[in-house]
Amino acid sequence: MTTTNNSPVNVSKLGYVEFITPDLDRLTEYYTRALDFVAVESSPEAVYLTSSFDHHSVVLRAGNDKRARTVVGYEIAEDLADAERRIRDAGYTVERRSDIAPSTPDILIIDEPLTGTQLHLYDEQTRSGVKPDDSILRPTKLGHIASFTPELPALQNFYQELLGFRWSDTIGDFFVFLRCNSDHHAANFMASKSFQGMHHIAYEMRDLNHLQTMLDHLAHENYRLEWGPGRHGAGHNVFTYHKDPDGNTIELFTQLDVISDEAKGYFEPRPWHTDFPQYPKTWEVDLAAVNSWGPINQALLEH
Ligand SMILES: [Fe+2]
């Protein structure tokens, strides 16, 4: 007997992101020298980089134009064949490939609606061999990616209904935060009729000391902050933003909210919270939502 299961795909982790760059050497040097990532595999066409156990969390690919977030890879916690069937049953085109990248031998590929981004779903990567404790600089992991979308409700629905993401917070009517595990967000989407592509990508630092050590290092490397340090309201992470050599906005953060109860969606208590208990909500666009410590960088809120 065939049973029908139309539950969402069980995405459990943000895995990797791809950038296209006209200067592969320059962007590789930024990742390895400034951010202290490890280049696990490289060729004249592409470099695979990691900061963690995963084989890669960043793929830099040589190309004529700068393009960010051309591919996003998500780990899923279920059988690939079953996920493939449910995606197809939901009306989406899905392709299964085994020749895409080292370390991920089996990948489902679907197109993210309206953005041109290709999504990869896989069950695990091989290990990178990188030890997280052998560097005082290296970020602990790829944390989240924020991007623009012309149709926010449709994309939010795609992520929640097809890929199993849960709603964590919204700022105003234009900025949505979604999670695929207990981290407050792995994906955020900003509604925009003017902009497209990536808004920013964020790497996690383990604590404030780690963040400060990295910021001092970046200053020595001549990378200066565009905003922060500050504390966001939605997610409550301490944030800093700077630009990589291609002009992509890079966030380094720590202390992101953890959703300790997935069923109820409330957050573990922390002294900087103002709601007890704290549930996902829609925030006003003000200092409490954007930067409770003070200044707002308006350019980063344009949409
Ligand atoms: Fe962020």
Side-chain angles (χ1 to χ4, degrees), residues 21-31 66 223 245-247:
T21 177
D23 195 334
L24 186 59
D25 289 343
R26 184 178 66 171
L27 201 54
T28 299
E29 183 177 13
Y30 162 77
Y31 268 96
K66 296 174 189 172
Y223 291 99
D246 277 4

Side-chain angles (χ1 to χ4, degrees), residues 23-154:
D23 195 334
L24 186 59
D25 289 343
R26 184 178 66 171
L27 201 54
T28 299
E29 183 177 13
Y30 162 77
Y31 268 96
T32 54
R33 185 180 167 96
L35 290 189
D36 198 31
F37 276 54
V38 176
V40 178
E41 292 196 40
S42 59
S43 71
E45 291 78 37
V47 180
Y48 294 82
L49 298 129
T50 191
S51 72
S52 72
F53 295 112
D54 286 342
H55 179 274
H56 59 268
S57 41
V58 173
V59 181
L60 307 180
R61 193 171 298 283
N64 293 328
D65 303 314
K66 296 174 189 172
R67 292 176 60 205
R69 197 179 174 272
T70 45
V71 173
V72 178
Y74 289 109
E75 199 166 300
I76 67 174
E78 63 170 307
D79 179 67
L80 235 60
D82 199 42
E84 180 180 13
R85 179 190 59 74
R86 301 204 313 281
I87 293 168
R88 194 165 281 128
D89 285 351
Y92 294 92
T93 300
V94 55
E95 184 185 10
R96 189 163 178 170
R97 296 268 300 270
S98 58
D99 57 347
I100 291 293
S103 91
T104 42
D106 210 3
I107 294 178
L108 300 179
I109 301 174
I110 56 175
D111 290 332
E112 187 179 70
L114 303 165
T115 64
T117 294
Q118 196 177 72
L119 302 181
H120 292 178
L121 307 177
Y122 59 92
D123 63 0
E124 68 175 338
Q125 297 191 48
T126 56
R127 302 295 85 172
S128 64
V130 171
K131 296 177 181 173
D133 62 349
D134 71 356
S135 162
I136 61 168
L137 289 173
R138 190 173 302 142
T140 50
K141 67 180 179 187
L142 168 60
H144 60 270
I145 311 170
S147 46
F148 294 110
T149 172
E151 297 290 346
L152 182 56

